[in-house]
Amino acid sequence: RNFWIILSTIFISPLCLLDKLDGLKFTSALSLLFVAYLTGMIITYRFSYGHCGENCMPSNQTLINLRLAKTMTIFVFGFTCHQNIFSVVTEIKRPTSQRISFVIFFSLFIACSVYIAVAWSGYHTFGKKVQGDILDNYNASPAVDVARLFVAALVAFSYPLQCHPSRNCFLSLLDQCFSSNSIESYPPALLPQQQDHSTSMVQQQDQNEELSSVVTKGGFRNRFAHSRQARRLTTLCFLFASLLIALSVESLTTVLAIVGATGSTMVSYVLPGGIYYRLAPPSLIRSCALALFCLGLFVMPTAVCLIFVDID
């Protein structure tokens, strides 16, 4: 096991050292094929081996309980893609607000569809005996062995997608320590605006052009002249720290739960709600952002505690 972890780390190192997220488009496309195979295999097993039978949840069992709250962090992790939006906005062609919104909604639609298909098929195959890693439920066979190989490749290929924005954010924080740039330096098109239905198409087009201009000129990039050596050193530090964690833990489910309870909750609930409430003018959406922020502050410590508490 340790040998394959170290080998995988060496294999993905060149991908993590790439300067642009666009360089990962081929591995990302390959990962989508892996996801399609896994989804197809799980659905096929569902219709080939029938219903879960007595393992299905009784109709009188409560659906909302602590066990659901304990696994909710995995769902939060599954929909956490916010950290990549900055690189997407920077590298997308003609980054207008409409095109960015289309990328966001279309990506979430695909992810949600796959999650629902896998969850429904897996549960109706194994019922309450379904495990955190659903492949552990299947008997050994060539199809399952290929699926395990694809899952390993998916995990390996997903790491550079997380490493790239993490490195950029870390270097950006270093940049802010040595610069006087503040949020006021960003143009209005990049800040939350109160919705006004009387806004003309010309004004909207002007905002889109302003957004496109800022992104093209590197408005989201680090203003401090980071050298390639700095990027490589940061990436290698991330890889080494991740390698130590991978060698220390054995349960992928526990890792996903912890990441979902801490980092994903912060990125999905706390930061978006807090930043929008701080910058946006008074409105109903601003009040919802405050509620989202408070929900994140409640979910994070509660979920972390539930992960390490045996409630079975």
Side-chain angles (χ1 to χ4, degrees):
R1 174 179 174 271
N2 292 344
F3 169 77
W4 288 109
I5 292 176
I6 296 174
L7 184 64
S8 300
T9 304
I10 296 175
F11 175 75
I12 65 173
S13 296
L15 299 176
C16 297
L17 292 171
L18 294 175
D19 293 332
K20 298 181 64 177
L21 194 66
D22 182 70
L24 301 173
K25 57 185 176 183
F26 297 108
T27 55
S28 298
L30 191 60
S31 297
L32 290 178
L33 295 178
F34 295 162
V35 170
Y37 174 85
L38 290 168
T39 305
M41 187 202 76
I42 294 173
I43 294 176
T44 301
Y45 268 79
R46 156 66 183 95
F47 289 102
S48 299
Y49 292 91
H51 196 264
C52 56
E54 62 180 10
N55 291 325
C56 288
M57 182 182 297
S59 58
N60 60 348
Q61 183 167 340
T62 304
L63 294 178
I64 305 300
N65 51 35
L66 289 178
R67 188 176 291 106
L68 175 63
K70 186 175 182 178
T71 58
M72 184 60 67
T73 55
I74 299 178
F75 287 88
V76 175
F77 174 81
F79 286 98
T80 302
C81 51
H82 308 60
Q83 66 276 6
N84 283 321
I85 191 60
F86 300 105
S87 298
V88 171
V89 170
T90 302
E91 300 179 23
I92 193 174
K93 296 180 180 179
R94 295 186 292 110
T96 63
S97 58
Q98 290 84 355
R99 288 174 60 83
I100 295 172
S101 297
F102 175 79
V103 170
I104 294 173
F105 286 110
F106 188 68
S107 301
L108 291 178
F109 173 78
I110 293 178
C112 186
S113 300
V114 171
Y115 293 158
I116 292 176
V118 171
W120 181 88
S121 301
Y123 175 75
H124 282 83
T125 303
F126 303 104
K128 62 184 179 182
K129 292 186 177 181
V130 66
Q131 301 184 34
D133 184 355
I134 192 174
L135 294 181
D136 290 340
N137 287 100
Y138 296 100
N139 297 324
S141 67
V144 175
D145 292 338
V146 172
R148 296 183 189 277
L149 178 63
F150 285 174
V151 168
L154 277 171
V155 174
F157 288 159
S158 65
Y159 184 87
L161 292 174
Q162 307 301 324
C163 181
H164 187 278
S166 299
R167 180 186 64 197
N168 287 351
C169 290
F170 178 76
L171 294 178
S172 179
L173 290 174
L174 291 182
D175 173 71
Q176 291 299 316
C177 294
F178 298 99
S179 66
S180 59
N181 295 312
S182 61
I183 192 65
E184 286 78 9
S185 62
Y186 288 94
L190 301 181
L191 301 178
Q193 300 293 324
Q194 188 172 12
Q195 297 295 328
D196 184 1
H197 297 287
S198 63
T199 302
S200 65
M201 294 298 293
V202 175
Q203 291 175 325
Q204 181 65 36
Q205 182 65 26
D206 291 341
Q207 289 184 352
N208 290 337
E209 291 177 356
E210 186 176 12
L211 172 61
S212 178
S213 175
V214 171
V215 171
T216 303
K217 294 178 181 179
F220 285 125
R221 298 182 186 275
N222 296 322
R223 297 175 179 86
F224 187 77
H226 293 292
S227 64
R228 175 169 293 184
Q229 287 74 17
R231 292 194 298 271
R232 289 180 175 177
L233 179 60
T234 303
T235 302
L236 292 177
C237 290
F238 284 170
L239 282 170
F240 181 73
S242 301
L243 177 62
L244 293 180
I245 295 175
L247 294 174
S248 303
V249 300
E250 295 183 359
S251 174
L252 180 61
T253 304
T254 303
V255 173
L256 295 181
I258 294 176
V259 174
T262 55
S264 296
T265 303
M266 178 70 72
V267 171
S268 301
Y269 290 86
V270 178
L271 292 179
I275 292 174
Y276 193 94
Y277 181 81
R278 174 66 177 81
L279 300 179
S283 64
L284 177 61
I285 299 180
R286 187 169 183 260
S287 300
C288 294
L290 178 61
L292 185 68
F293 173 78
C294 296
L295 178 62
L297 294 181
F298 171 77
V299 168
M300 186 181 300
T302 304
V304 171
C305 293
L306 289 176
I307 291 174
F308 300 99
V309 175
D310 187 9
I311 59 177
D312 294 331

